[in-house]
Structure formats: structure tokens, C-alpha cells
């Protein structure tokens, strides 16, 4: 699936704490770089462990955007802040941990267009980065 972008190998670690799902971390690499080494896999697991602890502290009940109540709360938040439909799509993908490039590929738009939407979201929420976005939405995502 990712081979057209030059990605051949991928390795994912799931993030969870206290049986609560929190997301995942994925490393990608080109075919010419070869498969991941045991050291790289150990580093990925170590990073995943630390990220799970940090996210578990931030989201003690896990991240559950797919649940109806959470989705309704997020929709109300989006309406309250006058976030347009495409911006809302981008915001949901950002909350899922997608990069600008991943969002552009998924939505079939240019990365520069994604950046414009991201900046519009930041402006409307009065934040300057993804951490600010996560903080602004933390009560919704708990």
C-alpha cells in the first residue's frame, strides 16, 4: 500500500496503558534501507513504552473518539469554534496522530493545502501546535 511512496518496510508498536488503547507508532523505510535491526526494534518498543505512559497520564480512560458520546462532544466543539467541514476532517486526522503528509495522501490533496487547514484550525482554537490542539480537546477525549 505504501510502496508507491517509496515505503517498503514498516514496523508498528501499539500504545496502550491499563488496557486502554492510545494509538500506535509506526516506523517506515525504503527497500534499499533493508529491514529493521533488532536494535531499532528495541528502540521502538522503548519509545512506545514511554509514550504509552505519558499518553496514559494525559488520557487515563484511553482515546475513544469512535464512541458516539465522544463523537457528539467533538462535533459540538467543532461547531462552537466554527471549524469548517474539511478542517474538521483534518482535525480528526490530527487527533488520530496523522502527519501532514499522511493526511494529504489520505485526502488526495496537496500537503500545502493540509498546512493551510491546520493553520486555520490553530487560529480558530487559539493554539500554535498539535500539543495545543490536544490540550484544547483533552476534556472531549477523556
Amino acid at each position: 500500500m505504501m510502496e508507491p511512496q517509496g515505503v517498503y518496510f514498516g514496523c508498528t508498536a501499539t500504545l496502550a496503558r491499563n488496557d486502554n488503547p492510545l494509538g500506535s507508532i509506526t516506523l517506515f523505510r525504503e527497500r534499499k534501507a533493508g529491514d529493521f535491526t533488532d536494535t531499532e526494534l528495541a528502540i521502538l518498543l522503548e519509545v512506545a513504552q514511554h509514550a504509552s505512559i505519558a499518553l496514559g497520564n494525559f488520557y487515563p480512560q484511553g482515546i475513544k473518539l469512535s464512541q458516539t458520546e465522544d463523537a457528539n462532544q467533538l462535533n459540538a466543539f467543532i461547531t462552537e469554534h466554527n471549524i469548517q467541514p474539511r478542517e474538521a476532517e483534518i482535525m480528526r486526522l490530527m487527533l488520530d496522530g496523522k502527519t501532514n503528509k499522511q493526511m494529504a495522501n489520505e485526502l488526495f490533496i496537496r500537503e500545502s493545502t493540509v498546512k493551510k487547514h491546520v493553520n486555520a484550525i490553530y487560529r480558530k482554537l487559539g493554539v500554535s501546535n498539535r500539543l495545543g490542539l490536544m490540550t484544547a480537546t483533552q476534556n472531549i477525549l477523556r
Side-chain angles (χ1 to χ4, degrees):
M1 179 173 96
M2 297 290 290
E3 202 164 354
Q5 286 87 20
V7 174
Y8 187 77
F9 294 101
C11 185
T12 301
T14 300
L15 306 179
R17 184 150 186 227
N18 300 325
D19 296 323
N20 291 318
L22 298 164
S24 63
I25 297 175
T26 304
L27 298 179
F28 296 106
R29 68 168 23 142
E30 298 174 331
R31 181 188 296 262
K32 66 181 176 184
D35 206 351
F36 294 94
T37 66
D38 289 341
T39 301
E40 291 168 330
L41 296 177
I43 291 169
L44 174 63
L45 292 176
E46 188 72 23
V47 168
Q49 181 181 7
H50 288 282
S52 292
I53 291 168
L55 287 170
N57 290 336
F58 201 61
Y59 301 105
Q61 303 303 316
I63 299 174
K64 348 167 245 202
L65 273 182
S66 61
Q67 294 181 359
T68 306
E69 183 179 326
D70 290 338
N72 288 341
Q73 287 180 339
L74 183 59
N75 288 337
F77 181 86
I78 286 167
T79 301
E80 176 186 335
H81 289 88
N82 195 29
I83 295 172
Q84 299 304 304
R86 189 58 138 185
E87 294 168 351
E89 223 176 343
I90 297 284
M91 190 171 108
R92 285 184 178 93
L93 292 171
M94 290 170 63
L95 293 171
D96 285 342
K98 303 278 184 171
T99 65
N100 288 353
K101 186 172 187 170
Q102 289 171 327
M103 290 186 285
N105 289 337
E106 190 169 322
L107 298 173
F108 303 102
I109 60 178
R110 297 180 67 187
E111 195 170 347
S112 61
T113 304
V114 170
K115 289 177 184 179
K116 288 178 185 177
H117 290 304
V118 167
N119 287 328
I121 293 165
Y122 289 167
R123 187 179 64 255
K124 290 177 180 184
L125 299 181
V127 300
S128 58
N129 54 38
R130 289 174 198 242
L131 179 59
L133 171 66
M134 296 301 283
T135 302
T137 57
Q138 72 181 353
N139 292 331
I140 298 166
L141 304 177
R142 285 184 184 238

